[in-house]
Amino acid sequence: MSTQIQRTEEPEIETEDEPEAETESAGDRRRREKVDRETALRKEAEERLDESDDDVVIKVFRYDPEVEGKQEPRFDDFRVPMEKGTSVLDALMFARDHYDSSLTFRHSCRQAICGSDAFFINGRQKLGCKTQLSELETPIRIEPLPHQEVVKDLVVEMEHFYEQMHSVEPYFQTNDLPTGELEEQRQSRENREKVKMSTRCIWCAACMSSCNIAAGDEKYLGPAAINKAYRFAMDEREGEEMKDHRMRVLEQEHGVWRCQTQFSCTVVCPKEIPLTEHIQEVKREAVKRNLKFW
Amino acid sequence: MYEHDVLVVGAGGAGLRAAIAAHEEGADVAMVTKLHPVRSHTGAAEGGINAALRDGDDWELHAYDTMKGSDYLGDAPAIETLATDSPEEVVQLEHWGMPFSREEDGRMSQRPFGGLSFPRTTYAGAETGHHLLHTLYEQVVKRGITVYDEWYVSRLAVTDHDRPEDRVCHGLVAIDIKSGEIEGFRARNGVVLATGGPGQVYDHTTNAVSCTGDGPAMAYRAGAPMEDMEFIQFHPTTLPSTGVLISEGVRGEGGVLYNALGERFMFERGYANNDGELASRDVVSRAELTEVNEGRGVNDEYVHLDMRHLGAERIVDRLENILHLAADFEGVDGLEEPMPVKPGQHYAMGGTETDEHGETCISGLYAVGECACASVHGANRLGGNALPELIVFGRRAGQHAAGRDLGEAKIGTGQVGEYEVGEVDTPVTPGEIGTPEDVVADGGESARTDGAGALVEAGPVLENAVETERERVAHLMGRDEGVQQAEIREMLQKSMTRNVNVFRNEEGLKQALRDIRTARELYRDVYVDDPSRTFNTDLIQTIEMRNLIDTAEAITLGALAREEFRGAHWRQEFQERDDENWLKHTLLSWNDGTPEVWYRPVHLEGREKTYEPKIRSY
Ligand SMILES: Cc1cc2nc3c(=O)[nH]c(=O)nc-3n(C[C@H](O)[C@H](O)[C@H](O)COP(=O)(O)OP(=O)(O)OC[C@H]3O[C@@H](n4cnc5c(N)ncnc54)[C@H](O)[C@@H]3O)c2cc1C
Ligand code: SF4
Ligand code: FES
């Protein structure tokens, strides 16, 4: 396990009293300015470490199928500053920007809405941007989501997750649209309230990665896709006929009945969607509907 | 090589809407996007989407508010299009299942927003953008539209005629982020840029890390001018430590701003005696910073936004997401304490110059959404007006690119018709320095078909562009020492935040230009340390860096040139709006790397009336 420190060698320090040569070429000037700036930047990074309440070491999973020396998975340690509010994502960005630019992870919004930075942090699926360093016990270990193929470092293959999401017809379907110009298809407040939580999914795949059943059964729809189907099945605007269709999708062989109510999806979901409850509700609804035929 | 009728670059609200429209027109359309669609920044929008839907409101009022909000720098044909088309588009979203908040009667809820004379901001909790993005993506899935996700578009394939107005866009070059492969994409009909905002030019921004202004920068280097770049919106309520946005919906619902003395300064200090907290964003941002600068800020840094008096029930019903954001990203419980807020970079009113169909001066090249300037926002965007822009102009551009006749555009593009050449007194010639891209771009010369003629055939144009990109990437990856992009980015962001912020002056702007020049020089030595072709984010960020530099330069040059105070653009030396000299758009053309400034008058004539500039007070 290696400790990463600044990559560049100590630069030669330019002294103040060295008069700027009139004949300095543009290239020389650029190089000199670059050294100055690097020195300043490094000093700043060090000061930041000094100033911060504390600094901590994060242990980050590393793997690259292409680069020699990185094909064997390993953990790298990075020392990062920790202030009030520093998130795991901030720490990773600091490490990437200051120590090792090859450190790879997905991220974008920094505000828990794009769903791209779900990692396995100290043994649990969490969004990097929403997780404060100060909440975590040291040593802090950051790994890619389990049960998914690793592309590189913390980046995992998402195709399977997307396929499962797409398999439940994740789009509104109704035969009941009003015809008048600018006429809205009304929805009761209660009904919107009912589907509200289910509409918050950000496709982060944390739930899928936490689910033992999904890990063992490739075809299992998984909590996110079921929740997506629930979102439409319970939306009164789609109508009864469509609901039957939705229920058939949910009840398929690798659908809701595979769920063993382990609650891990509900525990990890960063949007606090009551996934297990939604799955159970679908099961109850299914039983109710099937009873009708008996 | 891949080939489609229409290629849409970017899959946020604007790109998705354009793709759906082109598909409905019967075109074979594909989206190329550096993030999976649901990761796009549109998902972060909170407050809502404006549309005149109810009795007592109508499109003319919406258009009037927008014109006034723009400080009369919006183009009437674009603004009227926005106002007339948005009701239909919002209802369309509703018919696609978007879970809007609902009134007792089951219709969509609307709320008041700053600068609006009617509460026409239609919303879905405080997470309108998330629902809009997902609803549109669902429709793309439903239609089976091809999406190349995690493909980074790095260059447009445009013919090399001398005048940009004669050029044609035949496609683009993109890098498959996962494999590192560089491929050409041919567009038989057109390319629609929908790449979003350039917030990463600043270090305190509400924008995602992916908002790097790629589209306008690429289009600019291909010949399509950037318009009104100096107008950057700073949102008055962002969390101090991260820049995460606290929606204007909080003030819309009745949230109040206090300074450290507990004064409701918007009224008590006379910043906006009528509208107070609901004055438009530029007014509130300046007020907050003035409070801080005059020593009445909390901890010398921010002010307080208080919503406690609204009551837990109403807050949870309409602003629940805000409670989560304040707690998760600032450690504040909005039900118990006021939230700390300060202005942060939020939105770019400027972008690639287009007409009201989204078309640029280059045939077959379109731009929509935040990366474009149609221009509906002029000098200042009203809250809730960006989302309707995405869908209204997204649809139009998609249709037009797919071949539908939308009639003749009233807004002109490129250096034709009425325009005026400008001059700016800059301390340095900021753009003249070559970069690796330019160095290898010269390789294109040899690929010309004949000595005098331009490269015009789609095939060779695309091949040439792909070759240039392969060389550029090889060049960046080939070095093993130099400067890294993170270093340049930090320097640039800091300088922009210090010098080209809410308050601006000549000295600061010139300093920013010097820093931008330094960034350019450094960029000549830039290198990618990660040798891998797999998911090389170091490489992608390095290419993005180049776009940030060009964007920063456009913003700063525009700000230096515009010697007046209008909308979001405040100049210390010029404290008056100067309609006589400045009722015109700033345009910047690439001109072989040396930015050329020119102007075009604003279109104030609408369909039925001409909008007379009035004093903008709230
Ligand atoms: C926090 C926040 C809150 C907001 N709230 C509101 C609101 O309440 N109401 C309102 O009207 N407006 C709001 N806005 C403004 C509005 O949300 C944005 O202007 C709008 O969403 C931008 O959408 P877009 O489709 O243009 O771009 P984006 O949604 O940013 O999408 C850009 C797309 O382009 C892709 N892309 C970029 N570069 C490349 C490249 N080189 N190659 C390939 N793909 C690329 C990205 O992957 C992405 O898919 C808000 C903005 C923010 C930041
Ligand atoms: S349900 Fe929750 S955990 Fe699962 S993908 Fe959606 S947001 Fe992530
Ligand atoms: S960065 Fe978008 S969810 Fe964390």
Side-chain angles (χ1 to χ4, degrees), chain B residues 2-332:
Chain B
Y2 298 89
E3 192 166 329
H4 296 273
D5 293 338
V6 176
L7 291 171
V8 178
V9 183
L16 292 165
R17 188 66 189 88
I20 294 167
H23 181 84
E24 285 183 342
E25 263 333 279
D28 157 27
V29 48
M31 312 194 72
V32 193
T33 167
K34 67 181 177 181
L35 307 171
H36 182 277
V38 302
R39 320 273 176 233
S40 300
H41 200 53
T42 293
E46 296 168 10
I49 175 166
N50 296 339
L53 289 168
R54 300 282 175 254
D55 289 346
D57 196 9
D58 63 38
W59 74 265
E60 281 176 278
L61 277 176
H62 187 181
Y64 175 76
D65 289 345
T66 306
M67 203 56 165
K68 175 181 170 193
S70 80
D71 226 344
Y72 301 92
L73 206 70
D75 285 337
I79 287 179
E80 293 192 342
T81 303
L82 177 90
T84 47
D85 287 7
S86 53
E88 188 191 327
E89 281 294 308
V90 169
V91 171
Q92 173 70 82
L93 284 172
E94 200 254 14
H95 288 184
W96 282 337
M98 179 162 159
F100 282 102
S101 292
R102 298 285 168 169
E103 289 305 313
E104 285 302 346
D105 65 2
R107 295 205 297 176
M108 296 180 275
S109 299
Q110 296 196 306
R111 60 164 57 124
F113 243 43
L116 302 185
S117 58
F118 189 92
R120 73 172 68 90
T121 307
T122 324
Y123 62 94
E127 50 202 36
T128 311
H130 165 80
H131 295 305
L132 181 132
L133 180 69
H134 283 255
T135 303
L136 288 173
Y137 177 58
E138 288 159 17
Q139 292 300 312
V140 161
V141 172
K142 182 176 179 189
R143 289 165 174 74
I145 294 171
T146 309
V147 180
Y148 298 91
D149 73 80
E150 304 200 316
W151 277 79
Y152 180 88
V153 177
S154 66
R155 170 180 286 266
L156 297 170
V158 170
T159 60
D160 58 0
H161 294 92
D162 285 343
R163 297 171 64 240
E165 298 77 26
D166 297 333
R167 294 180 196 164
V168 181
C169 180
H170 287 300
L172 50 88
V173 186
I175 305 171
D176 179 356
I177 300 177
K178 215 183 278 167
S179 71
E181 236 163 274
I182 298 169
E183 284 292 347
F185 287 71
R186 165 143 191 238
R188 290 182 213 104
N189 291 19
V191 171
V192 181
L193 294 174
T195 58
Q200 289 298 317
V201 162
Y202 291 88
D203 65 3
H204 189 82
T205 173
T206 62
N207 285 195
V209 181
S210 58
C211 295
T212 50
D214 297 347
M218 281 187 290
Y220 175 57
R221 296 194 295 265
M226 294 209 216
E227 180 176 354
D228 290 342
M229 294 300 288
E230 63 271 33
F231 297 106
I232 294 287
Q233 179 161 76
F234 294 87
H235 196 292
T237 57
T238 71
L239 295 175
S241 53
T242 51
V244 166
L245 181 82
I246 296 301
S247 166
E248 183 163 324
V250 174
R251 282 170 292 138
E253 295 293 342
V256 169
L257 290 167
Y258 294 111
N259 63 17
L261 307 177
E263 293 168 337
R264 195 171 169 186
F265 57 88
M266 289 307 299
F267 290 106
E268 289 184 50
R269 300 253 165 203
Y271 294 107
N273 289 326
N274 295 321
D275 293 359
E277 283 84 3
L278 280 177
S280 73
R281 293 177 174 175
D282 53 330
V283 176
V284 183
S285 287
R286 278 192 298 273
E288 290 178 358
L289 280 187
T290 305
E291 289 301 295
V292 171
N293 291 345
E294 292 181 359
R296 295 185 296 277
V298 185
N299 292 334
D300 284 333
E301 196 197 347
Y302 48 83
V303 296
H304 275 145
L305 173 63
D306 199 349
M307 61 175 182
R308 291 172 295 180
H309 56 283
L310 301 177
E313 196 185 328
R314 176 134 162 234
I315 296 175
V316 172
D317 182 36
R318 304 189 183 186
L319 298 163
E320 186 185 339
N321 187 39
I322 300 304
L323 290 177
H324 294 305
L325 293 175
D328 293 339
F329 298 100
E330 198 72 38
V332 168

Side-chain angles (χ1 to χ4, degrees), chain A residues 9-25:
Chain A
E9 311 242 302
E10 237 350 87
E12 280 176 36
I13 307 287
E14 299 266 344
T15 47
E16 283 281 328
D17 51 17
E18 201 174 35
E20 213 177 287
E22 294 256 319
T23 51
E24 186 187 44
S25 74

Side-chain angles (χ1 to χ4, degrees), chain A residues 37 44 66 101 110 185, chain B residues 94 207 494 522 534 538:
Chain A
R37 256 188 327 278
E44 213 179 294
E66 254 188 84
S101 64
R110 313 161 356 259
Q185 189 186 19
Chain B
E94 200 254 14
N207 285 195
K494 279 198 171 143
L522 284 172
T534 307
D538 191 3

